[in-house]
Amino acid sequence: MRENTALVVYYTKQHKNSFNALIGALEVNEYFDNFPIYFANKKDIYNLERILKRYDKVIIAISFFTTELWKTYELMKKLKIKYKEYSNKIIYLAGGPHPTGDPKGTLKLGFDVVCIGEGEETFPEFIMSVSVYENYKKVKGICYFEEDKFIYTGKRKPIDLNKYPPFPIKYNKFGHIEITRGCPYKCYFCQTPRIFGKNVRHRSIENICKYVEIMAEKNLKDIRFITPNAFGYGSKTGKDVNIDKIENLLKNIKEILGKDGRIFFGTFPSEVRPEHVNEETTDLILKYTYNKSLVIGAQSGSDRVLELCNRGHTVDDIYRAVYIAIKKGINVSLDFIFGLPGETKEDIEKTIKVMKDFIKLGVKIHAHAFIPLPQTPFAKANPGVVDKKIIMAMRHEIPKGIFYGSWHNQQMLAKKISKYLRFGKL
């Protein structure tokens, strides 16, 4: 029996949380109570014939990062060939960080439509329009080509996180809970404020606890959060610390979980900024969390480089944060980005000294190579390279896992991405 419309989401580990939020947004709309939704992994995505035969229209939704650009290009080529006979009934929909930053380039990969920015409102409206045979090209927040002309239907207002669940309960797809969206700092290498805006929006404690309770009832008691800055939770500006809000959040969650629950706060994917690490915030980590560790965004050991990338803190702030955390017995991992635009040999020497100082204190260094990203002020900058002096200085720490990261792959990707962003060719 042929039916009307179905949705297939390319549900991979890297984009689990993104699709959890989007499918969660469908669940608050009665229209989607019995709507057919399929979660396709890397194997399933090439075996959709049964679904394609059953429905008149099938929306295949794919989210991806800029670092996945070439994988997505290959994926789209294969899908177009594999499902060529069904091309009249498939709509390829893209969303996520890269499509938002590079919508025209994304459409050229073979996508029919790109969802730009937040999808909690755009995604349901688009699917409904397709399903009821309305003109989906009127849906706000999307772009497409029409006779080679690029059409963007306009930007939506930022959503209220409390209106939408962080994951789809009906489908038992649980994961991290997004507690804050938006970032006021606007670092020149980061897409976050360009995608979600500079004004922070927090999910309420009551709303967060509602979903923690649901997870706990299913014996899912490891709780992790998504936020650009964990210690910014509850702050009106996102630039200061609302210690009462953070404590109330952690306290309420701990009461729900009981003794066997585990709260992870201030670690991936909810790192912290150095200027927010103080006596009060570290006490909360020790009192309420399981991790007893912090991931702090340092990014450089040079004040000049930090200023060049609009980071908003100093090297002294990093030292202060590390000293406080270590004194409290908290383990620290520092994020550093090497090859940032404008970095000189002198800046590299300063960063090496800073890293050696911290390693003596038992700190680990998480190394990254700078990758230019679309829509950021550094989009057209040279790709990052981890200088040989850094590798030599850290040669004894690499085998121990004290200096760690995927900088080798990032350097190679940075070169390819830089070339693509400059010339528009894969």
Side-chain angles (χ1 to χ4, degrees):
M1 183 179 73
R2 296 279 290 278
E3 296 180 45
N4 182 11
T5 306
L7 170 67
V8 174
V9 295
Y10 188 39
Y11 195 74
T12 61
K13 182 180 179 181
Q14 293 87 343
H15 301 282
K16 169 184 172 181
N17 290 313
S18 296
F19 276 120
N20 278 355
L22 292 175
I23 305 304
L26 300 184
E27 285 194 353
V28 301
N29 189 327
E30 290 182 356
Y31 182 85
F32 296 98
D33 283 353
N34 298 302
F35 195 90
I37 300 174
Y38 300 89
F39 296 82
N41 59 28
K42 292 181 179 180
K43 181 181 178 181
D44 298 332
I45 199 71
Y46 296 111
N47 294 283
L48 301 179
E49 287 88 349
R50 179 178 58 83
I51 296 170
L52 292 166
K53 288 176 181 177
R54 181 174 177 179
Y55 298 94
D56 294 325
K57 287 289 181 184
V58 176
I59 299 166
I60 298 178
I62 298 172
S63 176
F64 64 101
F65 301 116
T66 302
T67 51
E68 298 172 299
L69 182 56
W70 285 267
K71 288 182 180 179
T72 306
Y73 174 59
E74 292 301 319
L75 171 67
M76 287 300 294
K77 281 202 302 183
K78 291 177 181 177
L79 293 181
K80 292 274 185 167
I81 294 170
K82 173 81 173 178
Y83 303 128
K84 185 178 181 180
E85 64 178 292
Y86 302 103
S87 59
N88 65 326
K89 61 168 63 180
I90 298 175
I91 297 175
Y92 292 99
L93 173 68
H98 183 83
T100 292
D102 178 33
K104 288 183 181 179
T106 300
L107 290 169
K108 290 176 182 178
L109 295 179
F111 287 96
D112 300 298
V113 180
V114 170
C115 176
I116 296 179
E118 298 178 321
E120 280 88 349
E121 293 181 351
T122 304
F123 196 58
E125 285 186 26
F126 175 81
I127 297 169
M128 287 175 67
S129 294
V130 173
S131 181
V132 298
Y133 299 101
E134 288 185 355
N135 184 5
Y136 69 74
K137 294 180 178 180
K138 294 181 180 180
V139 174
K140 200 169 185 179
I142 65 169
C143 67
Y144 52 89
F145 283 133
E146 191 166 75
E147 296 180 354
D148 295 328
K149 184 181 179 181
F150 178 77
I151 307 293
Y152 174 44
T153 58
K155 188 176 182 179
R156 286 184 178 271
K157 292 180 180 179
I159 66 146
D160 178 355
L161 287 176
N162 293 308
K163 290 184 177 180
Y164 302 98
F167 38 64
I169 299 159
K170 172 184 172 182
Y171 290 93
N172 285 307
K173 301 289 186 182
F174 298 97
H176 306 338
I177 299 175
E178 186 176 17
I179 59 174
T180 300
R181 192 177 283 184
C183 181
Y185 289 98
K186 297 188 288 185
C187 303
Y188 291 165
F189 52 78
C190 182
Q191 282 184 302
T192 299
R194 279 89 204 175
I195 297 173
F196 298 123
K198 65 179 182 178
N199 297 320
V200 293
R201 291 157 281 152
H202 306 292
R203 192 182 294 274
S204 71
I205 293 174
E206 181 182 9
N207 191 268
I208 295 167
C209 288
K210 170 185 173 181
Y211 295 107
V212 171
E213 286 177 348
I214 291 170
M215 291 180 70
E217 287 171 2
K218 296 180 178 291
N219 203 33
L220 300 171
K221 295 191 174 184
D222 278 9
I223 306 298
R224 290 176 170 83
F225 308 96
I226 299 171
T227 169
N229 172 27
F231 290 151
Y233 178 75
S235 164
K236 289 183 179 179
T237 64
K239 288 191 172 184
D240 52 15
V241 175
N242 188 331
I243 202 72
D244 291 336
K245 279 280 189 180
I246 298 171
E247 179 160 27
N248 284 337
L249 172 66
L250 298 176
K251 182 181 179 182
N252 277 279
I253 292 174
K254 192 161 188 177
E255 288 177 356
I256 294 168
L257 298 177
K259 292 181 180 180
D260 57 340
R262 305 197 305 179
I263 301 171
F264 295 85
F265 192 80
T267 61
F268 180 82
S270 61
E271 295 95 335
V272 301
R273 290 178 59 90
E275 68 270 36
H276 292 163
V277 179
N278 55 41
E279 297 282 340
E280 291 180 300
T281 52
T282 49
D283 282 343
L284 294 183
I285 295 298
L286 293 170
K287 186 175 181 180
Y288 294 106
T289 76
Y290 177 81
N291 43 278
K292 304 298 184 288
S293 61
L294 287 172
V295 177
I296 301 172
Q299 315 314 0
S300 178
S302 164
D303 281 321
R304 195 185 73 88
V305 172
L306 290 174
E307 188 173 347
L308 283 174
C309 65
N310 198 41
R311 181 62 185 161
H313 67 75
T314 66
V315 174
D316 282 344
D317 289 327
I318 305 169
Y319 274 101
R320 193 177 300 110
V322 172
Y323 288 149
I324 290 171
I326 295 297
K327 185 180 72 175
K328 295 279 189 177
I330 293 173
N331 295 319
V332 174
S333 181
L334 292 175
D335 275 343
F336 278 86
I337 303 174
F338 302 109
L340 282 162
E343 185 180 69
T344 65
K345 291 182 179 180
E346 185 180 353
D347 297 317
I348 291 167
E349 293 292 346
K350 288 180 179 179
T351 296
I352 289 171
K353 179 190 177 300
V354 169
M355 290 191 298
K356 285 184 173 181
D357 285 347
F358 290 136
I359 288 171
K360 289 175 184 176
L361 297 172
V363 172
K364 289 186 176 183
I365 307 297
H366 190 190
H368 305 268
F370 164 70
I371 297 177
L373 297 172
Q375 206 179 10
T376 68
F378 282 168
K380 297 297 177 66
N382 289 327
V385 176
V386 182
D387 194 273
K388 291 180 180 178
K389 286 186 177 180
I390 293 172
I391 302 300
M392 282 300 294
M394 296 289 112
R395 65 188 182 280
H396 297 304
E397 317 305 337
I398 294 172
K400 301 174 188 174
I402 293 171
F403 184 91
Y404 68 101
S406 301
W407 70 87
H408 291 293
N409 291 335
Q410 290 169 353
Q411 285 180 146
M412 290 187 289
L413 278 169
K415 288 181 182 179
K416 293 174 70 176
I417 291 167
S418 177
K419 186 177 179 181
Y420 169 77
L421 292 178
R422 291 181 180 190
F423 305 109
K425 293 182 179 179
L426 290 170

